[in-house]
Amino acid sequence: ILQKVGANVSALFTNFPNVTSREQVREQRLMATQSAVAQTFNDQIYHDFRYVVLANSGQKQAHLREYRTDANGRGVDPSGLDDGYMITQGFVSTPVFFDPAYQGDSKFRYLGQQVVDKQATYVVAFAQLPSAQVKEEIAVAKGKSVFVLFQGLAWIDPSNYQIVRMWTGLMAPVPEINLQAQTTRVSFAEAHFQGMASGLWLPRKVEVEMKWPAVIFRDYHNYSEFKLFSVQTQDRQAAPASP
């Protein structure tokens, strides 16, 4: 399973074209003492972005640049801690744990099969080792960040060995920033592009929860309208003036 899934993940990162999509985000902030029934959901904000994923040519595998723009293609800095919210990104790279170049960074265990959306899947658990090369960076303030290790689950389609769903969570709390827990749920689906023989398995729905002692942040991301992203330039020269 690891060999076949790893081949798919490696191909994704190695041959990744530049891609853009529509991203609809709902950011939610809840008091940690609120129950699921008592939550009023009044403390939330909405965004509608263009999400851009660029391959870093000449870089090692699994190095993708992910960022957001407005409808006119201008880069945006979404609301974050300064506004009392926290937005997350980097979900296209979630399968990096299964890249053959980084499988040695984690321990894996096959748990069996489970039906997901009426489809049988293999379920594989993983946990990063302290010596892992790939660690997630969490920005906690301007110019300050911490690196953390993750564990998780992957649901794999046995017919093509593509990852259809992933769950990741912190291996341990992060006392440097008082972060008690962080979990991410990603649902993948195949996106097809004109001129490409095969599609790309990209995130369609993502749920993130980050828990501090007094507050919980939840982000809900929905992706649609996938397109290949390119930048074209044209050099125009005026005809020379007559003598």
Side-chain angles (χ1 to χ4, degrees), residues 7 16 25 29 51 61 68 92-93 102 106 114 117 132 172 207-209 214 223 240-241:
F16 196 89
V25 184
R29 181 180 58 200
Y51 197 75
Q61 296 183 80
R68 297 175 171 95
V92 177
S93 300
Y102 303 109
S106 303
Q114 184 177 12
D117 296 331
E207 297 180 11
V208 182
E209 180 176 288
Y223 298 90

Side-chain angles (χ1 to χ4, degrees), residues 8 12 19 119 157 159-160 162-165 187-193 196-205 223-226:
N8 285 333
L12 172 71
V19 171
Q119 175 186 2
D157 185 340
S159 67
N160 55 17
Q162 295 288 353
I163 297 173
V164 297
R165 182 181 294 183
S187 295
F188 296 89
E190 190 174 18
H192 294 275
F193 301 94
M196 292 186 61
S198 58
L200 298 177
W201 285 79
L202 300 172
R204 289 300 178 98
K205 292 184 179 181
Y223 298 90
S224 60
E225 303 175 17
F226 290 90

Side-chain angles (χ1 to χ4, degrees), residues 122-133:
Y122 297 141
V123 185
V124 176
F126 66 90
Q128 282 191 294
L129 301 171
S131 58
Q133 304 174 63

Side-chain angles (χ1 to χ4, degrees), residues 20-28 44-52 67-70 76 78 87-89 91 203-208 218-226:
T20 180
S21 68
R22 182 185 184 187
E23 181 191 33
Q24 296 169 293
V25 184
R26 174 161 60 99
E27 293 182 71
Q28 194 176 92
Q44 57 189 351
I45 56 177
Y46 296 85
H47 297 288
D48 200 331
F49 300 115
R50 293 304 302 179
Y51 197 75
V52 181
Y67 63 95
R68 297 175 171 95
T69 72
D70 60 19
V76 295
I87 194 168
T88 46
Q89 65 181 38
F91 309 117
R204 289 300 178 98
K205 292 184 179 181
V206 179
E207 297 180 11
V208 182
R218 290 178 183 162
D219 291 348
Y220 301 87
H221 307 253
N222 284 280
Y223 298 90
S224 60
E225 303 175 17
F226 290 90

Side-chain angles (χ1 to χ4, degrees), residues 9 30 44 49-50 59-60 85 95 97-98 110 115 118 128 131 136 152 161 166 173 175 178 227 237 240:
V9 174
L30 305 168
Q44 57 189 351
F49 300 115
R50 293 304 302 179
Q59 297 291 324
K60 294 173 63 177
Y85 292 88
F97 306 101
F98 288 84
Y110 174 66
V115 176
K118 300 181 180 180
Q128 282 191 294
S131 58
E136 181 169 319
Y161 292 89
M166 285 190 70
N178 217 16
K227 300 177 182 178
Q237 293 182 347

Side-chain angles (χ1 to χ4, degrees), residues 31-39:
M31 299 304 295
T33 55
Q34 284 183 289
S35 67
V37 177
Q39 292 164 2

